[in-house]
Amino acid sequence: MRFRHPDGSTVHLAYCTNVHPAETLDGVLAQLRDHCEPVRRRLGRDRLGIGLWLARDAARALVTDPAALRGLRCELDRRGLEVVTLNGFPYEGFGAEEVKYRVYRPDWNEPERLDHTTALARVLTGLLPDDIDEGSISTLPLAWRTRQAESARTALRALGERLDALAELTGRSIRIGLEPEPGCLVETTGDAIAPLTAIDHPRIGICVDTCHLATSFEDPHTALDALVASGTPVVKSQLSAALHAEQPHLPEVREALAAFDEPRFLHQTRARTAAGLRGTDDLGEALTGRVLPDAVPWRSHFHVPLHASPAAPLASTLPVLKGALTRLVGGPHPLVRHLEVETYTWQALPPELRPGTRGQLADGIAAELTLARDLLTDLGLKELP
């Protein structure tokens, strides 16, 4: 979906396909048929943006076989879909029964991460629509916090050189955004400024995920103002909402939270105190241990559907998303032009909230995109055909 900003620039809105796990190119093609096109049809759109997640094997197939890449591009066109952004954070296995810490490997200390991201950039130059010359890729924020970062920065500098060469070769600019996430070396937007300043490359910036922003209790206007002041480019933003518990000391609140404690993904949980943030790596640890103070609100890294806040006594951090979006695209000029709804946890929701069919999932994703569209038009952007 494309929107015209009041300054005349184009802002793109997509949804991320990591909600439909697939490890191979055949799986990606099936996603387009079974999920993406049905979402487009529900929205009554001739064209729908998708943020493709390409696992290692799918990316390798596309980068080593020009015919396969042309075939994917043709299939996108045939189904009324377009790609300007990729999710390069998960490397493989995102649909496994247990992902947890595995999603952070390989990290930017390991050569596989540089090679994979380079492959994604090359693929994206072949997928961009004919009238678009800039793409974006989100990636993990260096590494999980127990790892080092020196070799990661060296790898990102090497990536910058490869992106420059790719732009010279193809005439298309691909930008990479580190995506701050709780528990990682770059946990907050503020943490991103120093390493990105040290790397100092115009094609390497930040991807602002509004669920992660909220989980770390960052004020969106303060965070984004700091990025602007530092000259840190916002390459992309993922529109997502976290799980919020206002009174975690109450038994009924803990019972409600426990329904979201599931085995597939890591749900980092945070509480803000006068002394700073306190946190756990997972929701279950917060519920069973005494690590977090329960006299203050908790937020958990669980991407809840944008259009359907959890039932009381829980809530979502949709207000943080709205505040961030106002600062990102509501001003005289947009800070970012690539927006991506990223609710990958539909099948990790409590059983009674999960979509039972493909059709129900498509309905939910279409409802999320409708909400995002309405937020954009309320900010003065005009939806394009």
Short mmCIF file of all heavy atoms in Angstrom, two decimals, residues 21 25 35 40 72 98 101-102 109 112 197 205 217 233 239 242 261 286 291 293 324 355 372-373 385:
data_model
loop_
_atom_site.label_atom_id
_atom_site.label_comp_id
_atom_site.label_asym_id
_atom_site.label_seq_id
_atom_site.Cartn_x
_atom_site.Cartn_y
_atom_site.Cartn_z
N PRO A 21 5.52 -18.91 8.26
CA PRO A 21 6.88 -19.46 8.15
C PRO A 21 7.07 -20.33 6.92
O PRO A 21 6.22 -21.17 6.59
CB PRO A 21 7.03 -20.29 9.43
CG PRO A 21 6.04 -19.70 10.38
CD PRO A 21 4.88 -19.27 9.52
N LEU A 25 12.11 -21.59 -1.22
CA LEU A 25 11.47 -20.75 -2.23
C LEU A 25 10.08 -21.26 -2.56
O LEU A 25 9.14 -20.46 -2.73
CB LEU A 25 12.34 -20.69 -3.48
CG LEU A 25 11.80 -19.87 -4.64
CD1 LEU A 25 11.46 -18.44 -4.21
CD2 LEU A 25 12.78 -19.87 -5.79
N HIS A 35 -1.84 -16.85 1.32
CA HIS A 35 -2.02 -15.84 2.36
C HIS A 35 -2.01 -14.41 1.83
O HIS A 35 -2.95 -13.66 2.08
CB HIS A 35 -0.92 -15.99 3.42
CG HIS A 35 -0.90 -17.32 4.10
ND1 HIS A 35 -1.87 -17.70 5.01
CD2 HIS A 35 -0.04 -18.36 4.01
CE1 HIS A 35 -1.60 -18.92 5.46
NE2 HIS A 35 -0.50 -19.34 4.86
N ARG A 40 -4.79 -9.19 0.26
CA ARG A 40 -5.00 -8.09 -0.68
C ARG A 40 -6.45 -8.01 -1.13
O ARG A 40 -7.05 -6.93 -1.19
CB ARG A 40 -4.09 -8.25 -1.90
CG ARG A 40 -4.30 -7.16 -2.96
CD ARG A 40 -3.46 -7.36 -4.19
NE ARG A 40 -3.79 -8.56 -4.94
CZ ARG A 40 -4.84 -8.67 -5.74
NH1 ARG A 40 -5.70 -7.67 -5.87
NH2 ARG A 40 -5.07 -9.80 -6.39
N LEU A 72 10.06 -15.23 -9.17
CA LEU A 72 9.43 -14.68 -7.98
C LEU A 72 8.87 -13.29 -8.27
O LEU A 72 7.75 -12.96 -7.87
CB LEU A 72 10.42 -14.64 -6.82
CG LEU A 72 9.92 -13.97 -5.53
CD1 LEU A 72 8.66 -14.64 -5.00
CD2 LEU A 72 11.02 -13.98 -4.45
N GLU A 98 10.20 -24.40 18.84
CA GLU A 98 10.86 -23.54 19.83
C GLU A 98 11.92 -22.71 19.12
O GLU A 98 12.88 -23.24 18.58
CB GLU A 98 11.50 -24.35 20.96
CG GLU A 98 12.16 -23.47 22.01
CD GLU A 98 12.73 -24.25 23.18
OE1 GLU A 98 12.18 -25.33 23.50
OE2 GLU A 98 13.72 -23.78 23.76
N TYR A 101 16.05 -18.27 21.93
CA TYR A 101 17.33 -17.60 21.70
C TYR A 101 17.93 -17.89 20.32
O TYR A 101 18.83 -17.18 19.89
CB TYR A 101 18.35 -18.02 22.77
CG TYR A 101 18.00 -17.59 24.18
CD1 TYR A 101 17.32 -18.44 25.04
CD2 TYR A 101 18.37 -16.33 24.65
CE1 TYR A 101 17.00 -18.06 26.33
CE2 TYR A 101 18.06 -15.93 25.95
CZ TYR A 101 17.37 -16.80 26.79
OH TYR A 101 17.07 -16.41 28.07
N ARG A 102 17.43 -18.90 19.64
CA ARG A 102 18.00 -19.27 18.33
C ARG A 102 17.86 -18.15 17.31
O ARG A 102 18.65 -18.08 16.36
CB ARG A 102 17.30 -20.53 17.80
CG ARG A 102 17.59 -21.79 18.58
CD ARG A 102 16.72 -22.95 18.10
NE ARG A 102 16.75 -23.11 16.64
CZ ARG A 102 15.91 -23.86 15.97
NH1 ARG A 102 14.95 -24.53 16.60
NH2 ARG A 102 16.01 -23.97 14.65
N ASN A 109 28.73 -11.07 14.55
CA ASN A 109 30.10 -11.53 14.75
C ASN A 109 30.45 -12.70 13.83
O ASN A 109 31.62 -13.06 13.73
CB ASN A 109 30.30 -11.99 16.20
CG ASN A 109 30.14 -10.86 17.19
OD1 ASN A 109 30.93 -9.93 17.20
ND2 ASN A 109 29.10 -10.93 18.01
N GLU A 112 28.34 -15.82 8.50
CA GLU A 112 27.07 -16.20 7.86
C GLU A 112 26.07 -15.04 7.84
O GLU A 112 25.27 -14.92 6.91
CB GLU A 112 26.45 -17.39 8.58
CG GLU A 112 27.24 -18.69 8.46
CD GLU A 112 28.30 -18.82 9.53
OE1 GLU A 112 28.53 -17.84 10.29
OE2 GLU A 112 28.90 -19.92 9.64
N THR A 197 26.90 5.60 14.88
CA THR A 197 27.77 6.75 14.66
C THR A 197 29.19 6.29 14.36
O THR A 197 29.89 6.85 13.50
CB THR A 197 27.76 7.68 15.88
OG1 THR A 197 26.42 8.14 16.11
CG2 THR A 197 28.67 8.88 15.67
N GLY A 205 21.37 2.20 9.19
CA GLY A 205 20.69 3.00 10.21
C GLY A 205 19.92 2.11 11.16
O GLY A 205 20.37 1.03 11.54
N PHE A 217 9.88 0.74 27.57
CA PHE A 217 9.32 1.95 28.16
C PHE A 217 9.96 3.22 27.61
O PHE A 217 10.12 4.22 28.31
CB PHE A 217 9.44 1.92 29.69
CG PHE A 217 8.48 0.98 30.36
CD1 PHE A 217 8.81 -0.35 30.58
CD2 PHE A 217 7.22 1.41 30.77
CE1 PHE A 217 7.93 -1.24 31.19
CE2 PHE A 217 6.33 0.54 31.39
CZ PHE A 217 6.68 -0.79 31.60
N PRO A 233 19.94 7.64 10.67
CA PRO A 233 18.82 7.47 9.73
C PRO A 233 17.85 6.38 10.20
O PRO A 233 18.26 5.32 10.66
CB PRO A 233 19.51 7.05 8.44
CG PRO A 233 20.84 6.52 8.84
CD PRO A 233 21.23 7.22 10.10
N LEU A 239 5.47 -1.64 12.72
CA LEU A 239 4.32 -1.24 13.51
C LEU A 239 3.80 -2.45 14.27
O LEU A 239 3.27 -3.39 13.68
CB LEU A 239 3.24 -0.65 12.60
CG LEU A 239 3.70 0.48 11.66
CD1 LEU A 239 2.52 1.02 10.86
CD2 LEU A 239 4.38 1.59 12.43
N ALA A 242 3.01 -4.21 22.08
CA ALA A 242 3.41 -5.15 23.13
C ALA A 242 2.25 -5.40 24.10
O ALA A 242 1.21 -4.72 24.07
CB ALA A 242 4.62 -4.59 23.89
N ASP A 261 2.25 -16.98 28.11
CA ASP A 261 3.56 -17.60 28.33
C ASP A 261 3.61 -18.89 27.53
O ASP A 261 3.13 -19.93 27.97
CB ASP A 261 3.77 -17.86 29.82
CG ASP A 261 5.11 -18.52 30.11
OD1 ASP A 261 6.04 -18.35 29.30
OD2 ASP A 261 5.21 -19.22 31.15
N ALA A 286 9.36 -13.98 34.68
CA ALA A 286 8.79 -12.85 35.42
C ALA A 286 7.65 -13.31 36.32
O ALA A 286 7.49 -12.82 37.45
CB ALA A 286 8.29 -11.80 34.44
N VAL A 291 12.02 -11.43 40.34
CA VAL A 291 12.99 -10.53 39.72
C VAL A 291 12.40 -9.15 39.50
O VAL A 291 13.06 -8.13 39.72
CB VAL A 291 13.48 -11.12 38.38
CG1 VAL A 291 14.47 -10.20 37.72
CG2 VAL A 291 14.09 -12.50 38.61
N PRO A 293 9.74 -6.02 40.19
CA PRO A 293 8.81 -5.44 41.16
C PRO A 293 7.40 -5.44 40.58
O PRO A 293 7.23 -5.10 39.40
CB PRO A 293 9.35 -4.03 41.36
CG PRO A 293 10.10 -3.71 40.11
CD PRO A 293 10.67 -5.02 39.64
N ALA A 324 4.53 7.09 18.12
CA ALA A 324 5.70 6.93 17.25
C ALA A 324 5.34 7.28 15.81
O ALA A 324 6.10 7.97 15.12
CB ALA A 324 6.23 5.51 17.34
N PRO A 355 -6.33 -17.66 15.23
CA PRO A 355 -7.15 -17.95 14.05
C PRO A 355 -7.14 -19.44 13.75
O PRO A 355 -6.08 -20.08 13.76
CB PRO A 355 -6.47 -17.14 12.94
CG PRO A 355 -5.06 -16.96 13.41
CD PRO A 355 -5.12 -16.90 14.89
N ALA A 372 -3.83 0.44 10.46
CA ALA A 372 -2.63 1.21 10.12
C ALA A 372 -2.93 2.24 9.03
O ALA A 372 -2.47 3.39 9.09
CB ALA A 372 -1.52 0.26 9.68
N ARG A 373 -3.70 1.83 8.04
CA ARG A 373 -4.09 2.76 6.97
C ARG A 373 -4.85 3.95 7.53
O ARG A 373 -4.58 5.10 7.17
CB ARG A 373 -4.95 2.03 5.94
CG ARG A 373 -5.45 2.92 4.80
CD ARG A 373 -6.61 2.28 4.08
NE ARG A 373 -7.78 2.15 4.96
CZ ARG A 373 -8.82 1.36 4.70
NH1 ARG A 373 -8.83 0.61 3.61
NH2 ARG A 373 -9.83 1.32 5.54
N PRO A 385 -3.78 4.62 -5.28
CA PRO A 385 -4.37 3.41 -5.87
C PRO A 385 -3.37 2.27 -5.88
O PRO A 385 -2.15 2.49 -5.95
CB PRO A 385 -4.71 3.85 -7.31
CG PRO A 385 -4.80 5.34 -7.24
CD PRO A 385 -3.80 5.77 -6.20
#
